[in-house]
Amino acid sequence: MHVTVIGAGSMGHGIAQVSAMAGHEVTLNDVDDERVRAGLEGVEANLAGGVERGKVTEAEREATLANLTGESDLTAAAAGADLVIEAVPEVMDLKTEVLGEAAAVAAEDALLASNTSSLSLTELASALPDPARVVGVHFFNPPHIMPLVEVVLAEQTAERTERRAVEYVEGLEKDAVVVRDSPGFASSRLGIALGLEAMRMVDEGVASVPDIDTAMREGYNHPMGPLMLTDLVGLDVRLDIAEYLRESFGERFRPPQVLRRKVAAGHLGKKSGEGFYVWEDGEAVGPSDEASR
Ligand SMILES: NC(=O)c1ccc[n+]([C@@H]2O[C@H](COP(=O)([O-])OP(=O)(O)OC[C@H]3O[C@@H](n4cnc5c(N)ncnc54)[C@H](O)[C@@H]3O)[C@@H](O)[C@H]2O)c1
């Protein structure tokens, strides 16, 4: 299958990687050549790490890279695609714009998929020419490690679209759960609720950032604390999701001040080098000064 991934950021490059590893012919798109290159380099680094840890063979690494190309022109990237997945920022207009542009040149029956964490698939589908082919394919971060993918059904999603989306996910050797379109789906709504409450506790000085995370890791057996997870996801991404859930569910999803402050300061988490923690070479080296105040 020809898969076009739009957006080569934290999620897009990983989605391109797992698709190429499963044998699909993948084109990775972003707004300019530099970002496309950064996405491809991200895939190369993941694969090199996989080879080093003995999780990926040299032959798999080479085959994956041979299946993967980058293209900053969306029309060229999506021409004839069988599956288009967008992983651009969590903004409805942006998602409809890129999927609409791609749909115009993709195969006639192409699946039009969104990696949105929270936005309404039904609204997204309504803004596209053939809503029956629209579906949510929600990967988790990082896509090459996390086994779950939520397949989210818009009101208009055809059964055939659902079946093809589930087949694609299973072909990646991941577990698909099918969920009805509801803000935040099954996963983000709960994940964000925990993350926002942890941030309110930071704002109130209840405990330090590492101690809040340790409490959830060691007391509740979470593999990672909610603030570390927020750094991994991206503070800007979580702010967008919280704003959207607040519109849908009310004040319980109001973004805490510390989140707004950090996003305004450009402290977006691992990807910018600082969020609730300071990051060096992909590792958290300690809490950020502001977070520990
Ligand atoms: N970060 C996570 O943990 C996570 C997990 C699951 C789902 N998501 C969802 O995935 C989507 C992307 O999130 P992310 O964390 O990868 O964001 P990101 O900011 O890391 O990457 C977004 C990329 O989209 C690119 N982009 C912006 N406009 C574009 C356009 N018009 N055409 C092509 N590319 C464009 C940006 O240049 C950037 O490289 C969001 O909808 C988010 O909610 C994120």
Side-chain angles (χ1 to χ4, degrees), residues 268-290:
L268 308 181
K270 184 178 178 183
K271 64 185 168 188
S272 73
E274 182 170 347
F276 287 96
Y277 294 85
V278 174
W279 294 81
E280 281 171 21
D281 300 325
E283 301 290 329
V285 293
S288 81
D289 280 351
E290 200 216 17

Side-chain angles (χ1 to χ4, degrees), residues 202-203 205-212 227 258 261-262 274-278 286-293:
V202 172
D203 267 343
V206 172
S208 70
V209 164
D211 282 356
I212 291 170
L227 298 165
V258 66
R261 259 197 328 270
K262 282 181 172 294
E274 182 170 347
F276 287 96
Y277 294 85
V278 174
S288 81
D289 280 351
E290 200 216 17
S292 45
R293 270 215 301 266

Side-chain angles (χ1 to χ4, degrees), residues 144-186:
H144 68 290
I145 306 278
M146 301 296 276
L148 180 68
V149 178
E150 277 181 312
V151 172
V152 187
L153 306 182
E155 291 296 326
Q156 306 94 323
T157 304
E159 255 178 50
R160 177 164 188 268
T161 303
E162 174 186 347
R163 201 170 49 245
R164 289 176 67 200
V166 169
E167 271 168 23
Y168 160 71
V169 170
E170 289 177 350
L172 307 180
E173 294 177 16
K174 297 201 176 285
D175 300 322
V177 292
V178 177
V179 295
R180 213 164 48 81
D181 187 21
S182 163
F185 319 134

Side-chain angles (χ1 to χ4, degrees), residues 9-11 30 35 87-88 90 95 115 117 138-139 141 233:
S10 309
M11 296 304 292
D30 207 300
R35 285 180 219 219
V88 300
E90 192 77 337
K95 290 182 183 293
N115 184 52
S117 309
H138 179 211
F139 285 84
N141 191 357
V233 169

Side-chain angles (χ1 to χ4, degrees), residues 118-120 123 183-184 239-248:
S118 63
L119 301 179
S120 165
E123 190 182 332
L239 178 57
D240 285 340
I241 298 170
E243 297 277 24
Y244 181 74
L245 292 179
R246 180 191 191 185
E247 281 170 29
S248 310

